Amino acid sequence: ISGIRGGTDAPPPSTSSSSLSMSPDPSVVFDNTPLFQSISIFAFANGLGTILSLVGKTQVHVDLLGSGAFALAALPALLAKGAAASRVKLSAAAMALWSVKLASFLLFRILKMGEDTRLTDLFTSFSGTVGFWFFSLLWGAICSLPHTLGSTSSAPGNTTSTVIGTIVYAIGLIVETTADYQKWRFKSANPGKFCNVGLWSVSQHPNWLGNLLIWIGILVMNAPSLIAAPVPTGPGASDVTIFDTLWSYRRLVLACLSPAFMWFLFNGQAEGSLTSTVELAKGKYGNDPEYAEYVQTVSKIIPKVF
């Protein structure tokens, strides 16, 4: 990331493209300040979370700071002015809306539950507490890359990609919210039972599917604005090499780490290779023949089309 060229001079006024073109605009300027601001906000929020978890016994702050940090990181872009304000503000609003929605739901859930036993066990040790909040910082910094990198670009954006990205984001937000609501309602009415209704009848983790779509949508919104004009390094003054062209896509590649990282986490948890989620579920519902059939026939994340 430190190799991304920066700049502070405002580019000549430009208008957004209406075609799905990925051709870079040579007048676009990249300023890394918003990226560093966002990382600093995530570091502060998770550092504060670490301190509160070490000195306190409540878990109320966990989701407020962990998930809510995304909304705080979106504030600078929401308040920014400039030629790229409409694209950046849309991306920031999308991230902030998801953050506030998720943090509010998780706060409501922890207030009802009293505590999350998984966190209770984790927070009993210094290393467990620090490890949790360090991973939370890593999650925030990587997951938010489609927006935070997008906010470094002065490009006004591409209308087609912005519309497509917004639609994908909206679908993801609806899927995640609906899945969380359906599971909460089911668990409240059927304590001790596994949820297999609504979206949970076609996916074992539809909330994770919704989350993936959310970040893919924000990535698509910003994708064309993440490509820089190649800087010639060839023998001639204007000779653009293959390396120059590939290097101009570095921000887009970094932004793609967000959905890739989330897929790695979600698929690893669904498969049981990263956490004990699968074993815990088997311990709860392993004697239920319906559950055995459910895990054998229902897709883990992406529903089967055929």
Side-chain angles (χ1 to χ4, degrees):
I1 295 178
S2 60
I4 300 176
R5 67 182 172 91
T8 55
D9 296 332
S14 58
T15 57
S16 61
S17 171
S18 59
S19 63
L20 192 56
S21 173
M22 300 291 277
S23 300
D25 183 349
S27 69
V28 171
V29 172
F30 290 92
D31 181 359
N32 293 326
T33 301
L35 174 64
F36 298 139
Q37 283 180 335
S38 296
I39 294 175
S40 299
I41 290 171
F42 280 113
F44 172 78
N46 286 280
L48 179 59
T50 303
I51 295 172
L52 293 176
S53 294
L54 288 172
V55 303
K57 296 182 179 180
T58 180
Q59 296 180 4
V60 172
H61 66 284
V62 173
D63 293 311
L64 283 177
L65 291 173
S67 301
F70 287 85
L72 294 177
L75 282 180
L78 284 172
L79 301 176
K81 297 179 181 180
S86 58
R87 173 187 59 80
V88 173
K89 285 190 174 182
L90 177 62
S91 175
M95 187 168 80
L97 174 60
W98 166 78
S99 171
V100 171
K101 186 270 301 183
L102 182 60
S104 299
F105 170 72
L106 294 177
L107 175 62
F108 169 77
R109 189 177 68 175
I110 199 65
L111 290 174
K112 288 287 187 180
M113 293 171 54
E115 66 175 9
D116 187 329
T117 55
R118 295 169 300 178
L119 293 181
T120 302
D121 296 338
L122 192 64
F123 289 166
T124 55
S125 67
F126 177 84
S127 60
T129 302
V130 173
F132 171 85
W133 284 105
F134 175 78
F135 186 82
S136 178
L137 168 60
L138 187 67
W139 167 59
I142 296 178
C143 188
S144 64
L145 282 175
H147 165 71
T148 55
L149 284 173
S151 65
T152 67
S153 171
S154 68
N158 178 289
T159 302
T160 304
S161 64
T162 300
V163 171
I164 294 174
T166 302
I167 292 173
V168 173
Y169 166 84
I171 293 173
L173 190 67
I174 292 171
V175 169
E176 183 186 63
T177 304
T178 302
D180 286 337
Y181 176 74
Q182 288 176 340
K183 187 172 185 177
W184 176 260
R185 286 294 302 271
F186 181 88
K187 287 289 189 178
S188 298
N190 304 275
K193 300 288 186 180
F194 75 95
C195 182
N196 61 346
V197 299
L199 294 175
W200 298 86
S201 66
V202 294
S203 170
Q204 295 181 36
H205 304 284
N207 52 338
W208 294 350
L209 172 63
N211 190 274
L212 285 169
L213 291 175
I214 285 170
W215 289 107
I216 290 173
I218 296 177
L219 173 63
V220 174
M221 288 181 199
N222 292 290
S225 303
L226 295 172
I227 305 171
V231 178
T233 61
S238 59
D239 291 342
V240 176
T241 66
I242 295 178
F243 175 79
D244 297 332
T245 301
L246 293 175
W247 185 243
S248 68
Y249 281 78
R250 62 194 182 277
R251 295 177 186 83
L252 180 58
V253 174
L254 285 174
C256 289
L257 289 177
S258 171
F261 179 67
M262 298 310 294
W263 173 259
F264 170 76
L265 291 181
F266 292 152
N267 189 61
Q269 292 182 76
E271 295 286 349
S273 59
L274 289 180
T275 65
S276 58
T277 303
V278 174
E279 289 302 317
L280 288 173
K282 287 182 179 179
K284 287 182 179 179
Y285 317 118
N287 295 326
D288 187 342
E290 284 190 36
Y291 177 73
E293 181 181 0
Y294 177 78
V295 296
Q296 290 295 324
T297 58
V298 177
S299 298
K300 288 181 172 59
I301 299 177
I302 301 176
K304 296 177 182 177
V305 179
F306 301 104

